[in-house]
Amino acid sequence: MKKYIIGLLAIMPLSVLASSPDCHSWPMNMAEAWMKNAGIVDLANLDESKTEIKQLASEKKGKDLYTQIYHFVFHDKSGGQYEVITQSDASSTECSISEVNSFLVTKKDLTH
């Protein structure tokens, strides 16, 4: 029984990687560009090292096509933060299959 459990644990990471592509960089870059173009934030003020990334969902739509939903929290150098949800399509070979829909959820400014 112990060998069976160890075998399952050994192959689990491979099955997770095969299930959905890791395509966070495309929607993250497009969300930043969207915030800049909308006048929400100057990209020079963002502290990219503090950016938080969480994939909320990945739905398989075809043989190698997924709709992915990400939640990003961008932090600026003044202590403010910007929460953005994105939705886009990706495959295992191409992260930019579709445009990225970006939604600003929260904008918090540090005021003290």
Side-chain angles (χ1 to χ4, degrees):
M1 181 69 164
K2 190 175 184 179
K3 287 182 183 180
Y4 177 75
I5 292 172
I6 291 172
L8 278 177
L9 291 175
I11 63 169
M12 271 181 49
L14 294 176
S15 65
V16 170
L17 289 175
S19 64
S20 175
D22 178 13
C23 283
H24 71 273
S25 62
W26 168 250
M28 183 175 73
N29 291 336
M30 294 298 98
E32 288 176 336
W34 172 75
M35 288 193 303
K36 175 186 173 271
N37 293 339
I40 296 168
V41 67
D42 181 356
L43 296 184
N45 293 333
L46 290 181
D47 184 348
E48 291 194 22
S49 68
K50 293 182 179 179
T51 300
E52 301 169 48
I53 304 163
K54 183 175 183 177
Q55 186 179 47
L56 299 179
S58 182
E59 179 185 11
K60 190 169 186 173
K61 292 174 55 174
K63 183 177 179 185
D64 187 27
L65 182 63
Y66 299 85
T67 295
Q68 298 187 326
I69 310 294
Y70 282 95
H71 175 245
F72 298 100
V73 181
F74 300 98
H75 297 267
D76 66 26
K77 296 172 184 171
S78 302
Q81 64 183 40
Y82 312 84
E83 291 187 60
V84 177
I85 302 287
T86 63
Q87 177 265 322
S88 59
D89 292 339
S91 74
S92 61
T93 59
E94 182 62 51
C95 291
S96 59
I97 287 181
S98 73
E99 64 182 33
V100 176
N101 295 311
S102 299
F103 307 93
L104 182 65
V105 177
T106 310
K107 177 181 174 185
K108 296 179 185 173
D109 294 319
L110 187 62
T111 57
H112 54 288

